[in-house]
Amino acid sequence: MEKWTPKHEAPEPLEGPVVSTVVGGTILWFVLFLAQLPFYGWFADRGHTWWVWTPLAGAALGLIGIWYVRGREAAIRRHADRAEAKDAAGAEAADGALGGTSTEADRTA
């Protein structure tokens, strides 16, 4: 059976300061860990020590996230640079094939 809701195209993904967002979140998790650490005894008396270790796990996962998003940003940048270089090379080749407008001074320089 098909749904009655109309089908729409998916919106474009939002791009923003991904690396700084992940770094900020990682710092926040680590600060939460440090803020709860002095109360470890209180949490241990009540059997809630996982409250202390959860922010530390979040900070550790955030470090992995920082590594991942930095690599992703570098890959996106490399891809854009290659596409730009390919477009520039294609434009030069098309210009040369059409006779070009280069002068003798351009060829000797």
Side-chain angles (χ1 to χ4, degrees):
M1 243 184 193
E2 202 169 315
K3 290 184 178 181
W4 289 94
T5 57
K7 295 184 179 181
H8 300 284
E9 288 186 33
E12 290 293 320
L14 296 174
E15 290 294 332
V18 179
V19 176
S20 59
T21 302
V22 174
V23 168
T26 303
I27 291 170
L28 181 64
W29 277 116
F30 191 69
V31 167
L32 287 172
F33 168 72
L34 292 178
Q36 291 181 352
L37 200 56
F39 303 103
Y40 185 82
W42 186 87
F43 286 113
D45 291 343
R46 287 155 180 81
H48 295 299
T49 56
W50 63 272
W51 279 56
V52 176
W53 301 116
T54 300
L56 184 62
L61 290 172
L63 292 175
I64 295 169
I66 292 170
W67 171 77
Y68 179 81
V69 296
R70 287 188 65 196
R72 178 182 177 270
E73 289 288 322
I76 291 171
R77 195 174 310 115
R78 278 193 310 270
H79 178 73
D81 290 345
R82 286 182 188 147
E84 185 178 310
K86 187 177 179 181
D87 289 344
E92 284 181 13
D95 188 36
L98 295 174
T101 57
S102 63
T103 62
E104 184 68 30
D106 290 339
R107 284 185 235 133
T108 58

XYZ file of all heavy atoms in Angstrom:
839
model
N 0.825 -1.176 0.000
C 0.000 0.000 0.000
C 0.874 1.246 0.000
O 1.877 1.300 0.666
C -0.859 -0.003 1.255
C -2.291 -0.075 0.974
S -3.262 0.030 2.462
C -4.729 -0.484 1.671
N 0.411 2.220 -0.710
C 1.177 3.448 -0.814
C 0.627 4.499 0.156
O -0.572 4.533 0.421
C 1.073 3.968 -2.245
C 2.186 4.893 -2.599
C 2.189 5.177 -4.092
O 2.039 4.236 -4.879
O 2.330 6.349 -4.437
N 1.506 5.322 0.634
C 1.073 6.381 1.543
C 0.256 7.420 0.788
O 0.396 7.603 -0.415
C 2.286 7.061 2.168
C 3.028 6.200 3.139
C 4.140 7.018 3.761
C 4.881 6.200 4.770
N 5.939 6.965 5.399
N -0.595 8.113 1.521
C -1.422 9.146 0.924
C -0.720 10.495 0.876
O -1.221 11.427 0.283
C -2.721 9.288 1.710
C -3.618 8.111 1.509
C -3.692 7.000 2.292
C -4.519 7.897 0.445
N -4.587 6.110 1.798
C -5.127 6.640 0.647
C -4.895 8.641 -0.664
C -6.075 6.121 -0.221
C -5.846 8.122 -1.503
C -6.422 6.881 -1.290
N 0.437 10.584 1.503
C 1.142 11.863 1.513
C 1.829 12.080 0.170
O 2.329 11.144 -0.448
C 2.202 11.906 2.629
O 3.102 10.823 2.450
C 1.552 11.815 3.994
N 1.829 13.308 -0.325
C 2.484 13.568 -1.610
C 3.999 13.399 -1.489
O 4.580 13.635 -0.433
C 2.115 15.018 -1.919
C 1.759 15.617 -0.609
C 1.234 14.495 0.252
N 4.611 12.975 -2.571
C 6.059 12.771 -2.572
C 6.742 14.062 -2.990
O 6.369 14.690 -3.978
C 6.434 11.637 -3.518
C 5.893 10.313 -3.055
C 6.342 9.208 -3.945
C 5.787 7.890 -3.403
N 6.194 6.754 -4.187
N 7.728 14.459 -2.219
C 8.494 15.665 -2.484
C 9.954 15.289 -2.614
O 10.408 14.297 -2.055
C 8.351 16.686 -1.340
C 6.940 17.133 -1.114
N 6.310 18.022 -1.934
C 6.042 16.807 -0.158
C 5.092 18.228 -1.492
N 4.896 17.505 -0.411
N 10.688 16.116 -3.329
C 12.122 15.918 -3.406
C 12.753 16.299 -2.076
O 12.271 17.195 -1.387
C 12.723 16.783 -4.510
C 12.393 16.300 -5.898
C 13.137 17.092 -6.953
O 14.275 17.520 -6.689
O 12.565 17.277 -8.021
N 13.822 15.620 -1.748
C 14.523 15.924 -0.508
C 15.211 17.283 -0.645
O 15.747 17.608 -1.703
C 15.560 14.856 -0.211
N 15.190 18.091 0.411
C 15.872 19.390 0.335
C 17.386 19.200 0.320
O 17.910 18.159 0.714
C 15.419 20.103 1.607
C 15.066 19.008 2.545
C 14.555 17.878 1.703
N 18.061 20.215 -0.156
C 19.527 20.190 -0.158
C 20.033 20.150 1.279
O 19.440 20.770 2.167
C 20.079 21.445 -0.850
C 19.843 21.466 -2.340
C 20.608 20.397 -3.067
O 21.784 20.144 -2.722
O 20.032 19.780 -3.980
N 21.124 19.442 1.539
C 21.640 19.407 2.907
C 22.173 20.771 3.325
O 22.694 21.522 2.504
C 22.774 18.378 2.836
C 23.143 18.297 1.402
C 21.909 18.638 0.615
N 22.007 21.073 4.591
C 22.500 22.336 5.116
C 23.992 22.208 5.390
O 24.433 21.265 6.033
C 21.768 22.701 6.405
C 20.275 22.952 6.276
C 19.670 23.166 7.652
C 20.014 24.154 5.395
N 24.753 23.131 4.884
C 26.187 23.155 5.151
C 26.475 24.358 6.032
O 25.965 25.442 5.798
C 26.994 23.252 3.857
C 26.945 22.004 3.012
C 27.625 20.810 3.658
O 28.565 20.993 4.458
O 27.206 19.689 3.375
N 27.265 24.143 7.020
C 27.613 25.217 7.927
C 28.984 24.964 8.508
O 29.760 24.157 7.987
N 29.297 25.619 9.593
C 30.598 25.420 10.228
C 30.633 24.083 10.977
O 30.549 24.036 12.204
C 30.722 26.615 11.164
C 29.303 26.950 11.499
C 28.510 26.635 10.268
N 30.752 22.983 10.238
C 30.639 21.647 10.825
C 31.773 21.385 11.808
O 31.549 20.882 12.914
C 30.612 20.578 9.709
C 30.526 19.191 10.299
C 29.454 20.830 8.771
N 33.001 21.706 11.419
C 34.148 21.405 12.274
C 34.033 22.168 13.594
O 34.197 21.586 14.672
C 35.478 21.730 11.560
C 36.662 21.518 12.485
C 35.630 20.876 10.311
N 33.720 23.450 13.526
C 33.631 24.227 14.769
C 32.453 23.768 15.631
O 32.537 23.811 16.858
C 33.530 25.716 14.460
O 32.394 25.985 13.667
N 31.379 23.292 15.009
C 30.251 22.777 15.778
C 30.644 21.522 16.542
O 30.320 21.371 17.732
C 29.065 22.482 14.847
O 28.713 23.687 14.159
C 27.875 21.959 15.613
N 31.349 20.612 15.882
C 31.761 19.370 16.534
C 32.802 19.661 17.619
O 32.760 19.070 18.705
C 32.282 18.351 15.505
C 32.851 17.117 16.178
C 31.171 17.951 14.547
N 33.717 20.567 17.353
C 34.711 20.943 18.373
C 34.014 21.549 19.588
O 34.327 21.208 20.735
C 35.759 21.922 17.787
C 36.611 22.533 18.888
C 36.641 21.215 16.774
N 33.048 22.432 19.352
C 32.309 23.040 20.460
C 31.549 22.012 21.283
O 31.535 22.066 22.512
N 30.920 21.057 20.609
C 30.209 20.004 21.320
C 31.142 19.122 22.130
O 30.818 18.722 23.262
N 32.304 18.822 21.576
C 33.285 18.005 22.292
C 33.783 18.725 23.538
O 33.901 18.116 24.612
C 34.469 17.671 21.360
O 33.955 17.000 20.197
C 35.488 16.801 22.050
N 34.056 20.008 23.408
C 34.496 20.794 24.563
C 33.400 20.824 25.625
O 33.679 20.681 26.824
C 34.904 22.218 24.126
C 36.186 22.164 23.305
C 35.048 23.146 25.322
C 36.547 23.469 22.626
N 32.155 20.985 25.197
C 31.038 21.005 26.143
C 30.934 19.684 26.907
O 30.753 19.683 28.132
C 29.731 21.302 25.411
C 28.478 21.377 26.268
C 28.592 22.538 27.249
C 27.262 21.544 25.385
N 31.058 18.552 26.218
C 31.014 17.251 26.902
C 32.141 17.135 27.922
O 31.945 16.638 29.031
C 31.119 16.104 25.897
C 29.837 15.734 25.237
C 29.545 15.844 23.911
C 28.669 15.184 25.857
N 28.273 15.398 23.690
C 27.715 14.983 24.853
C 28.353 14.841 27.168
C 26.454 14.457 25.123
C 27.096 14.309 27.426
C 26.172 14.125 26.416
N 33.346 17.582 27.545
C 34.481 17.480 28.465
C 34.294 18.391 29.679
O 34.625 18.006 30.801
C 35.790 17.795 27.736
C 37.000 17.439 28.554
C 37.315 16.119 28.823
C 37.825 18.428 29.061
C 38.418 15.787 29.582
C 38.928 18.109 29.818
C 39.225 16.784 30.081
N 33.748 19.576 29.460
C 33.480 20.490 30.580
C 32.438 19.882 31.519
O 32.565 19.972 32.752
C 33.037 21.879 30.056
C 32.443 22.734 31.157
C 34.208 22.581 29.398
N 31.417 19.235 30.959
C 30.418 18.565 31.802
C 31.059 17.452 32.630
O 30.718 17.263 33.804
C 29.287 18.000 30.945
C 28.330 19.024 30.358
C 27.385 18.361 29.369
C 27.547 19.712 31.458
N 31.977 16.716 32.032
C 32.693 15.675 32.783
C 33.469 16.295 33.943
O 33.399 15.822 35.086
C 33.638 14.906 31.858
C 34.608 14.027 32.594
C 34.172 12.865 33.221
C 35.951 14.350 32.660
C 35.061 12.049 33.904
C 36.846 13.543 33.333
C 36.403 12.390 33.964
N 34.221 17.360 33.658
C 35.022 18.007 34.705
C 34.136 18.614 35.794
O 34.515 18.615 36.976
C 35.915 19.082 34.096
C 37.041 18.578 33.194
C 37.816 19.762 32.608
C 37.971 17.646 33.956
N 32.962 19.121 35.418
C 32.058 19.722 36.406
C 31.478 18.663 37.345
O 31.210 18.942 38.518
C 30.941 20.471 35.699
N 31.271 17.443 36.865
C 30.679 16.398 37.691
C 31.722 15.600 38.464
O 31.378 14.928 39.446
C 29.862 15.430 36.813
C 28.622 16.052 36.261
C 27.834 15.070 35.419
O 28.275 13.970 35.126
N 26.641 15.478 35.024
N 32.962 15.669 38.060
C 34.013 14.872 38.702
C 34.148 15.129 40.203
O 34.306 14.171 40.977
C 35.339 15.101 37.984
C 36.405 14.048 38.185
C 35.889 12.670 37.790
C 37.639 14.397 37.378
N 34.041 16.368 40.688
C 34.146 16.576 42.139
C 33.011 15.916 42.940
O 33.153 15.679 44.135
C 34.082 18.102 42.300
C 34.465 18.658 40.985
C 34.034 17.653 39.970
N 31.910 15.599 42.286
C 30.763 15.001 42.965
C 30.701 13.487 42.763
O 29.647 12.875 42.930
C 29.465 15.638 42.443
C 29.448 17.124 42.614
C 29.675 17.960 41.536
C 29.224 17.690 43.855
C 29.673 19.327 41.685
C 29.214 19.058 44.012
C 29.442 19.889 42.926
N 31.843 12.883 42.399
C 31.867 11.451 42.117
C 31.355 10.636 43.311
O 30.607 9.676 43.140
C 33.285 11.003 41.733
C 33.338 9.559 41.315
C 32.999 9.199 40.022
C 33.696 8.559 42.207
C 33.028 7.877 39.621
C 33.729 7.230 41.821
C 33.392 6.903 40.521
O 33.407 5.593 40.133
N 31.754 11.012 44.497
C 31.308 10.297 45.696
C 29.802 10.340 45.862
O 29.173 9.336 46.215
N 29.206 11.486 45.613
C 27.763 11.624 45.714
C 27.063 10.705 44.716
O 26.103 10.021 45.042
C 27.376 13.077 45.467
C 25.924 13.371 45.692
C 25.333 13.716 46.866
C 24.892 13.348 44.707
N 23.984 13.918 46.673
C 23.690 13.692 45.351
C 24.857 13.077 43.356
C 22.470 13.775 44.684
C 23.647 13.147 42.683
C 22.468 13.491 43.359
N 27.585 10.693 43.462
C 27.006 9.819 42.448
C 27.214 8.349 42.805
O 26.324 7.517 42.599
C 27.625 10.096 41.072
C 27.152 11.373 40.439
C 28.025 12.435 40.247
C 25.841 11.522 40.020
C 27.605 13.605 39.652
C 25.403 12.690 39.425
C 26.279 13.737 39.246
N 28.383 8.011 43.357
C 28.680 6.618 43.722
C 27.775 6.139 44.854
O 27.330 4.983 44.847
C 30.147 6.483 44.129
N 27.491 7.004 45.829
C 26.608 6.628 46.935
C 25.199 6.282 46.447
O 24.508 5.456 47.045
C 26.515 7.771 47.960
C 27.819 7.978 48.703
O 28.675 7.059 48.668
O 27.985 9.070 49.291
N 24.768 6.884 45.390
C 23.418 6.673 44.884
C 23.371 5.713 43.694
O 22.309 5.494 43.106
C 22.808 8.011 44.494
C 22.447 8.821 45.736
C 22.419 10.294 45.456
N 22.077 11.055 46.652
C 22.942 11.371 47.603
N 24.184 10.971 47.538
N 22.566 12.080 48.641
N 24.535 5.170 43.308
C 24.582 4.223 42.193
C 24.416 4.867 40.824
O 23.926 4.235 39.891
N 24.814 6.119 40.701
C 24.666 6.847 39.438
C 26.009 7.285 38.869
O 26.113 8.368 38.290
C 23.783 8.083 39.625
C 22.379 7.771 39.986
N 21.534 7.041 39.186
C 21.660 8.082 41.090
C 20.359 6.922 39.756
N 20.394 7.551 40.936
N 27.034 6.458 38.999
C 28.351 6.861 38.477
C 28.352 6.970 36.956
O 29.215 7.645 36.396
C 29.445 5.882 38.923
O 29.089 4.562 38.499
C 29.657 5.936 40.413
N 27.386 6.344 36.304
C 27.329 6.461 34.847
C 27.090 7.911 34.413
O 27.431 8.290 33.294
C 26.258 5.530 34.266
C 24.855 5.843 34.696
C 24.209 5.377 35.799
C 23.942 6.694 34.019
N 22.938 5.896 35.855
C 22.740 6.706 34.765
C 24.003 7.457 32.863
C 21.631 7.440 34.391
C 22.889 8.188 32.487
C 21.720 8.170 33.262
N 26.516 8.720 35.320
C 26.331 10.132 35.010
C 27.676 10.839 34.843
O 27.777 11.803 34.097
C 25.553 10.817 36.137
C 24.079 10.625 36.069
C 23.411 9.445 36.030
C 23.103 11.646 36.034
N 22.073 9.668 35.993
C 21.846 11.025 35.992
C 23.159 13.026 36.059
C 20.665 11.738 35.941
C 21.978 13.743 36.030
C 20.746 13.097 35.964
N 28.692 10.374 35.534
C 30.016 10.984 35.431
C 30.706 10.516 34.157
O 31.362 11.309 33.468
C 30.872 10.641 36.669
C 32.276 11.194 36.528
C 30.214 11.185 37.930
N 30.554 9.230 33.839
C 31.303 8.664 32.716
C 30.652 8.925 31.358
O 31.327 8.873 30.329
C 31.516 7.167 32.926
C 32.250 6.914 34.193
C 31.800 6.250 35.288
C 33.577 7.356 34.519
N 32.750 6.254 36.277
C 33.858 6.928 35.832
C 34.552 8.086 33.841
C 35.068 7.187 36.459
C 35.752 8.351 34.468
C 35.997 7.906 35.761
N 29.374 9.228 31.347
C 28.704 9.503 30.071
C 29.287 10.729 29.367
O 29.563 10.666 28.160
C 27.186 9.666 30.276
O 26.682 8.446 30.825
C 26.471 9.986 28.983
N 29.506 11.871 30.038
C 30.127 13.004 29.338
C 31.544 12.704 28.857
O 31.955 13.212 27.810
C 30.141 14.123 30.382
C 29.120 13.750 31.376
C 29.072 12.262 31.377
N 32.274 11.861 29.590
C 33.610 11.504 29.130
C 33.527 10.685 27.842
O 34.318 10.882 26.922
C 34.374 10.732 30.209
C 35.822 10.398 29.873
C 36.628 11.674 29.669
C 36.430 9.556 30.976
N 32.550 9.775 27.770
C 32.347 9.010 26.540
C 31.946 9.937 25.398
O 32.390 9.767 24.252
C 31.286 7.936 26.757
N 31.116 10.933 25.692
C 30.737 11.905 24.670
C 31.929 12.694 24.165
O 32.049 12.954 22.963
N 32.825 13.067 25.071
C 34.031 13.791 24.657
C 34.937 12.905 23.810
O 35.508 13.360 22.816
C 34.784 14.301 25.885
N 35.055 11.629 24.184
C 35.891 10.708 23.397
C 35.300 10.514 22.001
O 36.032 10.529 21.002
C 36.019 9.371 24.118
N 33.991 10.343 21.925
C 33.358 10.217 20.616
C 33.462 11.519 19.822
O 33.567 11.502 18.595
C 31.894 9.802 20.776
C 31.676 8.378 21.266
C 30.202 8.141 21.572
C 32.178 7.371 20.248
N 33.460 12.633 20.526
C 33.646 13.920 19.863
C 35.019 14.043 19.229
O 35.168 14.635 18.155
N 36.041 13.482 19.874
C 37.383 13.489 19.273
C 37.393 12.704 17.968
O 38.018 13.122 16.980
C 38.406 12.916 20.251
C 38.685 13.772 21.489
C 39.614 13.031 22.442
C 39.277 15.109 21.092
N 36.694 11.577 17.951
C 36.581 10.816 16.709
C 35.812 11.642 15.671
O 36.178 11.666 14.481
C 35.871 9.466 16.967
C 36.729 8.605 17.883
C 35.558 8.742 15.660
C 36.027 7.372 18.406
N 34.783 12.341 16.113
C 34.013 13.197 15.211
C 34.842 14.325 14.631
O 34.701 14.667 13.451
N 35.708 14.917 15.437
C 36.585 15.983 14.940
C 37.489 15.438 13.842
O 37.656 16.052 12.789
C 37.414 16.596 16.090
C 36.504 17.368 17.037
C 38.515 17.501 15.545
C 37.187 17.791 18.328
N 38.076 14.274 14.079
C 38.941 13.648 13.076
C 38.149 13.412 11.782
O 38.632 13.682 10.687
C 39.504 12.337 13.636
C 40.212 11.519 12.621
C 41.471 11.729 12.130
C 39.709 10.354 11.968
N 41.768 10.761 11.212
C 40.705 9.909 11.095
C 38.512 9.657 12.043
C 40.539 8.785 10.297
C 38.342 8.544 11.258
C 39.354 8.118 10.395
N 36.935 12.922 11.924
C 36.112 12.604 10.753
C 35.725 13.857 9.962
O 35.884 13.900 8.733
C 34.849 11.859 11.191
C 33.939 11.521 10.045
C 34.184 10.418 9.252
C 32.839 12.323 9.754
C 33.360 10.110 8.186
C 32.011 12.027 8.690
C 32.271 10.923 7.916
O 31.455 10.632 6.861
N 35.205 14.897 10.636
C 34.730 16.066 9.903
C 35.874 16.879 9.311
O 35.707 17.509 8.263
C 33.795 16.960 10.756
C 32.533 16.231 11.124
C 34.476 17.507 11.975
N 37.045 16.846 9.953
C 38.200 17.523 9.348
C 38.612 16.825 8.058
O 38.926 17.481 7.062
C 39.361 17.584 10.327
C 39.121 18.592 11.445
C 40.318 18.800 12.289
N 41.368 19.410 11.463
C 42.635 19.453 11.793
N 43.031 18.947 12.922
N 43.513 20.006 11.007
N 38.589 15.501 8.063
C 38.888 14.754 6.843
C 37.848 14.992 5.766
O 38.166 15.119 4.583
N 36.587 15.079 6.174
C 35.503 15.336 5.228
C 35.657 16.710 4.600
O 35.508 16.867 3.381
C 34.161 15.231 5.953
C 32.966 15.525 5.092
C 31.678 15.438 5.921
N 30.526 15.776 5.138
C 30.037 17.008 5.008
N 30.613 18.012 5.637
N 28.973 17.238 4.267
N 35.935 17.709 5.403
C 36.121 19.062 4.870
C 37.299 19.121 3.904
O 37.232 19.767 2.868
C 36.342 20.065 6.014
C 35.113 20.335 6.845
C 34.074 21.171 6.126
O 34.443 22.099 5.383
O 32.885 20.870 6.295
N 38.389 18.420 4.239
C 39.560 18.396 3.353
C 39.215 17.711 2.032
O 39.632 18.163 0.963
C 40.728 17.695 4.044
N 38.448 16.629 2.080
C 38.060 15.922 0.861
C 37.157 16.789 -0.005
O 37.300 16.819 -1.232
C 37.367 14.611 1.212
N 36.225 17.506 0.609
C 35.346 18.398 -0.146
C 36.165 19.502 -0.803
O 35.954 19.847 -1.969
C 34.249 18.983 0.773
C 33.269 17.891 1.179
C 33.534 20.149 0.110
C 32.282 18.318 2.250
N 37.128 20.052 -0.066
C 37.986 21.107 -0.607
C 38.830 20.585 -1.774
O 38.954 21.245 -2.810
C 38.880 21.668 0.495
C 39.528 22.979 0.141
C 40.302 23.593 1.292
N 39.518 23.659 2.524
C 39.808 22.993 3.638
N 40.851 22.202 3.686
N 39.055 23.113 4.694
N 39.402 19.368 -1.619
C 40.201 18.771 -2.701
C 39.349 18.554 -3.947
O 39.776 18.826 -5.067
C 40.797 17.434 -2.263
C 42.060 17.545 -1.452
C 42.757 16.201 -1.324
N 41.891 15.115 -0.901
C 41.664 14.770 0.369
N 42.255 15.433 1.338
N 40.869 13.761 0.650
N 38.135 18.058 -3.754
C 37.245 17.814 -4.887
C 36.911 19.113 -5.610
O 36.901 19.164 -6.847
C 35.964 17.122 -4.405
C 34.979 16.878 -5.495
N 35.168 15.912 -6.444
C 33.805 17.480 -5.787
C 34.141 15.928 -7.288
N 33.305 16.874 -6.899
N 36.630 20.165 -4.848
C 36.313 21.457 -5.452
C 37.514 22.015 -6.209
O 37.364 22.563 -7.307
C 35.853 22.440 -4.379
N 38.719 21.860 -5.658
C 39.925 22.342 -6.328
C 40.168 21.582 -7.629
O 40.538 22.170 -8.648
C 41.143 22.208 -5.412
C 41.104 23.186 -4.246
O 40.299 24.146 -4.298
O 41.868 22.974 -3.275
N 39.967 20.255 -7.604
C 40.153 19.458 -8.827
C 39.129 19.835 -9.883
O 39.458 19.931 -11.064
C 40.043 17.971 -8.505
C 41.239 17.427 -7.794
C 41.087 15.945 -7.539
N 42.155 15.470 -6.683
C 42.036 14.500 -5.809
N 40.881 13.870 -5.678
N 43.056 14.130 -5.076
N 37.889 20.039 -9.476
C 36.852 20.430 -10.434
C 37.159 21.789 -11.037
O 36.971 22.015 -12.238
C 35.489 20.438 -9.751
N 37.647 22.702 -10.207
C 37.996 24.030 -10.703
C 39.171 23.953 -11.675
O 39.163 24.607 -12.721
C 38.349 24.937 -9.524
C 38.609 26.375 -9.906
C 38.897 27.222 -8.691
O 38.122 27.157 -7.730
O 39.916 27.956 -8.715
N 40.177 23.145 -11.350
C 41.328 22.991 -12.244
C 40.907 22.327 -13.549
O 41.381 22.703 -14.628
C 42.411 22.166 -11.561
N 40.006 21.360 -13.468
C 39.524 20.680 -14.669
C 38.743 21.653 -15.548
O 38.884 21.645 -16.771
C 38.645 19.499 -14.273
C 38.226 18.640 -15.411
C 37.419 17.454 -14.906
C 36.967 16.568 -16.045
N 36.160 15.441 -15.575
N 37.919 22.486 -14.941
C 37.168 23.481 -15.701
C 38.104 24.486 -16.356
O 37.901 24.887 -17.502
C 36.174 24.211 -14.805
C 35.006 23.334 -14.390
O 34.799 22.277 -15.034
O 34.307 23.699 -13.421
N 39.140 24.898 -15.628
C 40.094 25.859 -16.185
C 40.865 25.233 -17.344
O 41.091 25.879 -18.372
C 41.059 26.326 -15.108
N 41.260 23.960 -17.200
C 41.974 23.288 -18.280
C 41.072 23.099 -19.490
O 41.507 23.248 -20.634
C 42.499 21.940 -17.800
N 39.808 22.801 -19.250
C 38.859 22.654 -20.351
C 38.626 23.965 -21.073
O 38.511 24.000 -22.296
N 38.580 25.059 -20.342
C 38.396 26.371 -20.957
C 39.604 26.754 -21.793
O 39.474 27.302 -22.881
C 38.138 27.423 -19.888
N 40.810 26.432 -21.317
C 42.029 26.719 -22.075
C 42.070 25.884 -23.340
O 42.444 26.366 -24.413
C 43.272 26.443 -21.227
C 43.554 27.489 -20.186
C 44.813 27.172 -19.384
O 45.586 26.284 -19.798
O 45.013 27.817 -18.346
N 41.687 24.610 -23.237
C 41.697 23.738 -24.407
C 40.679 24.209 -25.430
O 40.941 24.214 -26.635
C 41.407 22.302 -23.993
N 39.509 24.624 -24.974
C 38.489 25.116 -25.895
C 38.944 26.416 -26.541
O 38.714 26.640 -27.730
C 37.175 25.330 -25.153
N 39.611 27.269 -25.796
C 40.104 28.524 -26.327
C 41.179 28.253 -27.383
O 41.207 28.887 -28.422
C 40.656 29.388 -25.197
C 41.005 30.789 -25.661
O 40.274 31.314 -26.530
O 41.993 31.358 -25.161
N 42.057 27.296 -27.101
C 43.113 26.951 -28.057
C 42.550 26.307 -29.309
O 43.034 26.524 -30.417
N 41.509 25.501 -29.181
C 40.906 24.837 -30.327
C 40.172 25.825 -31.220
O 40.067 25.624 -32.423
C 39.942 23.752 -29.855
N 39.697 26.907 -30.659
C 38.967 27.898 -31.440
C 39.889 28.949 -32.042
O 39.433 29.922 -32.604
C 37.918 28.591 -30.559
C 36.803 27.685 -30.038
C 35.921 28.459 -29.073
C 35.979 27.145 -31.193
N 41.166 28.762 -31.938
C 42.098 29.729 -32.496
C 42.665 30.641 -31.441
O 43.719 31.218 -31.612
N 41.964 30.765 -30.335
C 42.445 31.541 -29.209
C 42.648 32.994 -29.526
O 42.631 33.433 -30.669
N 42.852 33.756 -28.518
C 43.111 35.188 -28.672
C 44.456 35.526 -28.080
O 44.742 36.669 -27.792
C 42.016 36.001 -27.952
O 41.967 35.607 -26.586
C 40.667 35.785 -28.609
N 45.302 34.497 -27.905
C 46.618 34.779 -27.308
C 47.494 35.478 -28.338
O 47.404 35.248 -29.522
C 47.258 33.489 -26.837
O 47.482 32.631 -27.933
N 48.364 36.308 -27.840
C 49.276 37.054 -28.693
C 50.639 36.406 -28.643
O 50.887 35.486 -27.872
C 49.383 38.518 -28.223
O 49.910 38.499 -26.888
C 48.023 39.195 -28.231
N 51.530 36.873 -29.478
C 52.897 36.331 -29.521
C 53.582 36.559 -28.173
O 54.332 35.717 -27.707
C 53.694 37.017 -30.647
C 55.089 36.455 -30.824
C 55.073 35.019 -31.350
O 54.159 34.624 -32.069
O 56.013 34.282 -30.978
N 53.300 37.657 -27.505
C 53.901 37.949 -26.209
C 53.437 36.956 -25.165
O 54.198 36.555 -24.283
C 53.576 39.371 -25.771
N 52.173 36.506 -25.248
C 51.665 35.521 -24.309
C 52.373 34.182 -24.477
O 52.645 33.491 -23.519
C 50.158 35.305 -24.502
C 49.342 36.510 -24.065
O 49.878 37.314 -23.258
O 48.190 36.634 -24.505
N 52.674 33.795 -25.723
C 53.301 32.503 -25.979
C 54.756 32.462 -25.543
O 55.271 31.435 -25.175
C 53.180 32.147 -27.457
C 51.774 31.693 -27.803
C 51.684 31.217 -29.229
N 50.618 32.009 -29.824
C 50.666 32.624 -30.975
N 51.744 32.536 -31.722
N 49.659 33.330 -31.414
N 55.433 33.593 -25.587
C 56.850 33.613 -25.217
C 57.047 33.830 -23.735
O 58.117 33.572 -23.223
C 57.584 34.728 -25.993
O 56.970 35.983 -25.707
C 57.577 34.434 -27.483
N 56.049 34.290 -23.033
C 56.183 34.572 -21.611
C 56.095 33.334 -20.780
O 55.756 32.296 -21.101
C 55.104 35.555 -21.156
